[in-house]
């Protein structure tokens, strides 16, 4: 059985009080069941949120980033080890906003993967094409390349720490969602690539999330697709009513 996951990526939003209130509201409105809820606040709120969330087995915490370095003179960086020692479960790596605005190359992403894995963090690894690549029908190749040059370099054992998030860039924060058929087509493709690389068992066990303008009005349809195991939610994770409604639709 694959894990069902709804993860909320808060990006660079909310303040200390609203962060805490949001976590408490989410806890209050959801149960301890088979759905894993992952909350990914900015670094500075991780510890407070962790403390509150540890009360429930199905609520986990993700950092939005980690350093590609182990430790040392890297001003402003936060290491995977630091995250691990405060009880963080997951780290998001490969998000298109980090690739685009912070020039994260495959080499940097691979160093981050190494850091995360050596510090026992699980990984939500993002991939996805931009609008031009979609319109030129290049998206299968783009996604294959993104995976071949990063997570598909991992050993079978290490690959078990990966959750994949398919996030078409043209759907992130734009209000345009991939249709459930478009998303399923890519999720099925990603699963078939995992099967070719790591075999049937791992491909059936890897959770693949959809991200990009996922909201209460479309989540049920998206999540009803066979290869979609949940969502990585941006904007709609910033308010408990919408986020909980998305969790309930899964
Ligand atoms: P939106 O849900 O705001 O489109 O963001 C998706 C995303 O980037 C999650 O990581």
């Amino acid at each position: 059985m694959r894990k069902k996951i709804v993860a909320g990526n808060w990006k660079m939003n909310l303040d200390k009080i609203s962060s805490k209130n949001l976590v408490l509201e989410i806890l209050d409105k959801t149960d301890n069941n088979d759905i894993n809820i992952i909350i990914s606040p900015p670094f500075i709120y991780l510890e407070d949120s962790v403390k509150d969330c540890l009360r429930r087995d199905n609520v986990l915490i993700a950092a939005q980033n980690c350093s590609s370095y182990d430790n040392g003179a890297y001003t402003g960086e936060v290491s995977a080890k630091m995250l691990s020692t405060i009880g963080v479960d997951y780290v998001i790596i490969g998000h298109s906003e980090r690739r685009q605005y912070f020039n994260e190359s495959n080499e940097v992403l691979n160093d981050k993967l190494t850091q995360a894995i050596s510090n026992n963090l699980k990984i939500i690894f993002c991939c996805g094409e931009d609008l031009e690549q979609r319109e030129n029908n290049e998206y299968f190749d783009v996604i294959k390349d993104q995976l071949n040059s990063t997570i598909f370099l991992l050993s079978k054992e290490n690959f078990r720490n990966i959750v994949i998030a398919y996030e078409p860039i043209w759907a992130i924060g734009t209000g345009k969602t991939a249709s459930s058929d478009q998303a399923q087509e890519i999720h099925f493709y990603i699963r078939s690539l995992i099967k070719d690389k790591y075999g049937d068992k791992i491909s059936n066990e890897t959770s693949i999330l959809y991200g990009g303008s996922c909201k209460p009005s479309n989540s049920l349809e998206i999540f009803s697709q066979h290869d979609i195991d949940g969502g990585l939610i941006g904007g709609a994770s910033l308010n408990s009513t919408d986020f909980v409604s998305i969790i309930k639709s899964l």
Side-chain angles (χ1 to χ4, degrees), residues 9 11 95 97 167 171-174 211-214 232-236:
N9 174 10
K11 307 190 181 181
H95 196 285
E97 288 154 12
E167 298 207 310
I172 296 177
T174 58
S213 298
C214 189
L232 178 56
I233 318 300

Side-chain angles (χ1 to χ4, degrees), residues 88-102:
V88 167
D89 307 289
Y90 282 85
V91 58
I92 299 174
I93 295 179
H95 196 285
S96 57
E97 288 154 12
R98 297 221 51 97
R99 295 180 197 246
Q100 189 182 344
Y101 305 135
F102 303 96

